[in-house]
Each structure stands twice: as structure tokens, then as C-alpha cells.
């Protein structure tokens, strides 16, 4: 079979966890082509892109018809898969233009604009935050004064914790507002407005799913932990995998499925972040793409497969997907991902206590974001985590103990910074 005759799959923005899709597809006998949704790859995503995984990289220059014609005439893909957050809308549009399985464009904006997303799920009768979009600083402060208490300030469109601030005073709101409006964000665009939201009290969770023609399957559920450090309230520091069933999990899943339906997520992966408030689950946001942070890879250690495999099945082996859809996953090994929190900025000389982390009973893998000799930044968001430690063990209590030990080791003594 010549390369041109090999069945082909297109991936839009194969960044973050989506960079594992092409190797998986190659194992299953597919040729992959890459669609780059922006003329330049966002700086935070560039290190994650592996161009050698693809037969060709097609740069989208804003004309949907041109990109769709190149794909159809030269590659005839069986599917167009969404990758990183920035490319989700283009994946919707290309899939629709080529007549392939897709979520379509009707609700694309609602799935990307965080204000519209929350308003859409509220209109469907689901719990959602009070919120306000401002382009004027005084308007933002006025809304904060009306709300009272703590609020969240963030970009309307971005990813991760980029630009997210928790504010309790008018001055903090002004500072956060100025830090967002007009600034570039993590998805290669400029913030033209600022989103202000009610702060939700409660534990935070991730529900990762894959859907096929409106049928949703739960791949994995995670509970996150947060600390207050470096002047940041609710700084994400870890996530651990939960069993599929339980009172909390059942409530989260029911809410998530309803939110996916409201947002038109009928096909492909979705990463939904929620809080369990005293009034029940409430949406933080949903991304119609794979979970980031490497969790879809780590979950393979726990379950043998995860969102990556289910995504490929949904698009390319629908009978296999439907035959198993709705089955509860079973944990073989308990897993957690723990982020180290740098106390200050400078040049990293060494991690003098790293051997103690490697010696932990459940130590599985280390992901190095900052190596000795590199600049290191005070950790104020999840883009500035210098190390990720992955834990795995057959006994859940061992993972929780070692997660707590890492938190105790972390701090000034963990780093030598010039």
C-alpha cells in the first residue's frame, strides 16, 4: 500500500496530550496529517509538537475553504480530530465542511467563549456561576461591589489557569483586570474583554469523557487539590484518580452529561472541570478536547486505556465504542499527579532533595519542566510548575501518603536558585 492509499486521519493542533494521538493512530495502521490552526504555534504549545509524527503539516491561514480543499483533494481523511484548545473551532468547521463526524459549528462559540458557555448551561437549567463581561475597569469594579465577597477574574478565551486571579478587594480587581485586558493569552489571541465570575466554594473535579453521536462515556474522574501559596489562592498542586462510582461521582457525571448535551458536544473527547458546591455540581468550564497535563497518558497506568484510546475508537471504530460505552472503568493501580511549587524566580542550580522524591514507594515518573541551568519562575499558575511527579501504586493509601510527603518536601529547601 502506497502512503497515498493508506487510510488517513487529520489532527488539528496536536499539542499537550493530543501529541499522543498520532503515535496511537500509527500503531493502528493510520497515516496522520497535521493541521496548524494558527500561523505560529503558541509559545506554550511549541515544545509539545512532534512534527516527525506527521506526513505533512498544513498551516491554516484563515481561509476555511482552502484548507478543506487541500485536505479533501490531497489526503481524503477519514476523520478530523481536535487537539489543543486553540484548534477546537477549526476542527469543528473542517469536519462539517468535509461531511465527517463532528460537533459542528452551530455551538462552536459557546464551547470556546467561557461566558457564553456558562450562560448556555444555565439556560438548560443547570447550576452556573453569576458572571459579567467587562471592557471597562470601572464597570468591573462596580460589578464586584454589587456581588460582594470573592470573585474570579479571567480571560474570556484561554486555557489552563492563564490570567486567572482570585480577588477580594476593588484594588485586586483593578490589578487583575489590567493583567488581562489587551494582553496576549495562552491560545495565541489577544484578550478583548475580561470575564468576572462568582467564586464557587467546594472541591474541584475533572470528568473526562468521549462521545459518539450523542452517547457519552466516562473515561476517568479526578479530584484536584489546591493550596494557597506565592500570593495565589487556590493554586493547583495535584490531581488523583477516583473510582468510577460513588455519590459524588454519580452527581458529577449526571451534571457533566447534561452540560455536554447543552453545549452540543456529541462527538469526540471533552474535559469538564466542575466544583461540588453546597448546592451541588457547578461548571467551571468544558473543553471539547482531550484533558491536558498528561493525565490521559497517566491513566493508562491505572486502567490500561483512557481518553486517547476511546477517542480513536469513537472516530474510527464506532462499533467497538458502542459495544463498551457506559461500562465502568476498574482501577488496577491508583495514580496521582503532583506539581512542585517554586517559591521564587531566578536560575535553577539544583533540586537537592529530588532523590527523596524518587525514593518514594509509589514514585512512577518525573516530568521535568525546568532543568538545572534553566530560568525558573515563581509558581503562580499551572504554566510555571517546574516539576510534575507521577505516583502509582496498587494501594490507594500509599499514593495519598506519598503525595503528602512531596508537599512537605517542597519549599525553599527543595531548590537551589541563583
Amino acid at each position: 500500500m502506497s502512503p497515498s492509499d493508506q487510510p488517513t486521519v487529520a489532527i488539528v493542533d496536536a499539542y499537550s496530550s493530543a501529541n499522543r494521538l498520532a503515535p496511537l493512530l500509527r500503531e493502528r495502521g493510520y497515516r496522520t496529517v497535521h493541521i496548524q490552526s494558527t500561523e505560529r504555534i503558541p509559545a506554550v504549545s511549541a515544545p509539545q509538537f512532534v512534527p516527525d509524527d506527521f506526513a505533512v503539516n498544513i498551516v491554516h491561514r484563515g481561509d476555511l475553504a482552502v484548507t478543506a480543499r487541500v485536505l479533501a483533494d490531497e489526503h481524503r481523511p477519514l476523520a478530523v480530530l481536535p487537539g489543543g484548545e486553540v484548534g477546537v473551532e477549526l476542527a469543528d468547521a473542517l469536519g462539517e465542511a468535509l461531511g465527517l463526524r463532528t460537533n459542528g459549528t452551530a455551538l462552536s462559540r459557546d464551547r470556546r467563549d467561557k461566558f457564553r458557555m456558562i450562560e448556555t448551561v444555565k439556560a438548560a437549567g443547570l447550576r452556573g456561576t453569576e458572571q459579567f463581561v467587562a471592557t471597562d475597569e470601572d464597570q468591573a469594579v462596580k460589578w464586584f461591589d454589587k456581588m460582594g465577597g470573592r470573585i474570579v477574574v479571567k480571560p474570556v478565551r484561554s486555557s489552563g489557569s492563564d490570567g486567572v486571579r482570585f480577588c477580594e478587594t476593588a484594588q485586586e480587581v483593578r490589578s487583575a483586570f489590567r493583567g488581562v485586558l489587551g494582553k496576549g493569552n495562552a491560545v495565541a489571541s489577544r484578550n478583548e474583554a475580561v470575564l468576572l465570575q462568582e467564586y464557587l466554594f467546594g472541591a474541584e473535579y475533572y470528568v473526562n469523557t468521549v462521545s459518539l453521536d450523542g452517547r457519552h462515556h466516562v473515561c476517568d474522574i479526578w479530584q484536584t487539590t489546591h493550596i494557597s501559596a506565592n500570593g495565589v489562592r487556590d493554586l493547583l498542586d495535584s490531581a488523583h484518580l477516583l473510582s468510577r462510582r460513588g455519590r459524588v461521582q454519580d452527581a458529577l457525571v449526571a451534571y457533566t452529561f447534561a452540560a455536554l448535551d447543552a453545549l452540543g458536544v456529541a462527538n469526540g473527547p471533552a474535559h469538564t472541570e466542575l466544583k461540588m458546591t453546597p448546592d451541588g455540581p457547578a461548571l467551571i468550564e468544558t473543553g471539547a478536547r482531550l484533558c491536558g497535563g498528561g493525565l490521559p497518558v497517566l491513566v493508562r497506568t491505572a486502567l490500561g486505556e483512557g481518553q486517547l484510546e476511546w477517542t480513536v475508537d469513537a472516530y474510527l471504530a464506532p462499533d467497538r465504542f458502542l459495544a463498551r460505552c457506559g461500562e465502568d472503568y476498574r482501577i488496577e493501580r491508583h495514580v496521582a499527579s503532583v506539581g512542585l511549587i517554586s517559591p521564587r524566580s531566578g536560575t535553577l542550580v539544583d533540586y537537592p532533595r529530588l532523590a527523596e522524591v524518587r525514593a518514594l514507594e509509589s514514585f512512577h515518573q518525573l516530568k521535568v519542566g525546568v532543568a538545572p541551568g534553566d530560568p525558573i519562575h515563581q509558581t503562580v499558575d499551572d504554566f510555571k510548575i517546574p516539576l510534575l511527579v507521577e505516583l502509582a501504586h496498587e494501594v490507594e493509601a500509599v499514593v495519598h501518603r506519598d503525595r503528602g510527603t512531596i508537599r512537605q518536601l517542597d519549599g525553599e529547601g527543595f531548590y537551589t536558585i541563583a
Side-chain angles (χ1 to χ4, degrees), residues 13-19 38 40-50 84-87 112 157-163 184-189 289 292-294 368-369 377 381-385:
D13 293 345
Y15 316 141
S16 187
S17 300
N19 68 6
T38 54
R40 287 189 297 178
I41 298 175
V44 296
S45 302
Q48 305 156 357
F49 178 49
V50 186
E85 182 72 25
V86 67
R112 285 286 294 113
R157 288 174 172 239
S158 192
S159 66
S161 58
D162 174 44
N185 58 42
V187 293
S189 61
R289 41 80 180 170
V368 180
H377 300 281
D381 57 41
D382 50 17
F383 294 105
K384 296 181 179 66
I385 291 175

Side-chain angles (χ1 to χ4, degrees), residues 8 98 102 110-111 209 338:
T8 297
L98 297 177
T102 177
D110 291 10
R111 293 190 289 269
T209 55
V338 185

Side-chain angles (χ1 to χ4, degrees), residues 104-332:
T105 59
L107 293 174
S108 277
R109 189 177 170 193
D110 291 10
R111 293 190 289 269
R112 285 286 294 113
D113 181 304
K114 297 181 182 184
F115 176 83
R116 291 173 63 102
M117 179 184 295
I118 297 297
E119 292 304 304
T120 297
V121 300
K122 286 162 68 174
L126 300 175
R127 166 86 162 93
T129 60
E130 295 295 321
Q131 56 178 2
F132 180 71
V133 173
T135 55
D136 177 83
E137 186 178 314
D138 290 334
Q139 286 180 332
V141 171
K142 184 176 180 180
W143 186 82
F144 164 76
D145 290 338
K146 183 183 75 171
M147 284 294 295
R150 187 183 309 155
I151 68 165
V152 184
V153 176
K154 62 171 74 170
V156 176
R157 288 174 172 239
S158 192
S159 66
S161 58
D162 174 44
V164 177
R165 295 272 299 275
F166 303 96
C167 302
E168 297 186 353
T169 68
Q171 187 53 47
E172 288 177 344
V173 172
R174 290 187 184 277
S175 175
F177 184 94
R178 294 168 190 168
V180 172
L181 189 67
K183 302 294 193 298
N185 58 42
V187 293
S189 61
R190 192 158 299 280
N191 298 320
E192 298 178 353
V194 179
L195 177 58
L196 299 91
Q197 293 180 324
E198 162 197 9
Y199 177 85
L200 297 173
F201 286 92
E204 184 176 325
Y205 299 85
Y206 303 154
V207 178
N208 294 319
T209 55
V210 177
S211 304
L212 173 61
D213 297 337
R215 289 190 61 183
H216 310 303
H217 175 77
V218 178
C219 300
D220 43 281
I221 304 171
W222 301 77
Q223 182 172 355
T224 68
T225 63
H226 298 72
I227 61 174
S228 293
N230 297 336
V232 179
R233 189 186 303 275
D234 282 1
L235 187 61
L236 175 67
D237 77 310
S238 80
H240 62 275
L241 182 67
L242 298 180
S243 60
R244 168 62 182 88
R245 292 291 173 179
R247 180 184 59 81
V248 170
Q249 294 95 310
D250 291 345
L252 293 170
V253 168
Y255 181 104
T256 296
F257 284 5
L260 295 178
D261 290 341
L263 292 165
V265 180
N267 292 291
H271 168 66
T272 302
E273 301 178 4
L274 313 97
K275 277 197 173 181
M276 180 58 80
T277 75
D279 298 322
L283 183 67
I284 299 173
E285 59 189 63
T286 288
R289 41 80 180 170
L290 292 164
C291 174
L295 295 186
V297 179
L298 178 58
V299 81
R300 289 167 161 175
T301 301
L303 311 178
E305 65 176 357
Q307 205 178 22
L308 288 161
E309 290 78 9
W310 280 93
T311 295
V312 172
D313 281 355
Y315 286 98
L316 301 166
D319 290 343
R320 172 177 161 82
F321 180 100
L322 292 172
R324 302 188 302 142
C325 183
E327 291 181 1
D328 291 353
Y329 61 79
R330 299 177 66 85
I331 297 177
E332 301 294 330

Side-chain angles (χ1 to χ4, degrees), residues 361-380:
E361 193 170 358
S362 66
F363 177 81
H364 175 65
Q365 185 170 272
L366 191 69
K367 293 186 175 181
V368 180
V370 179
D374 291 344
I376 188 169
H377 300 281
Q378 184 184 59
T379 305
V380 294

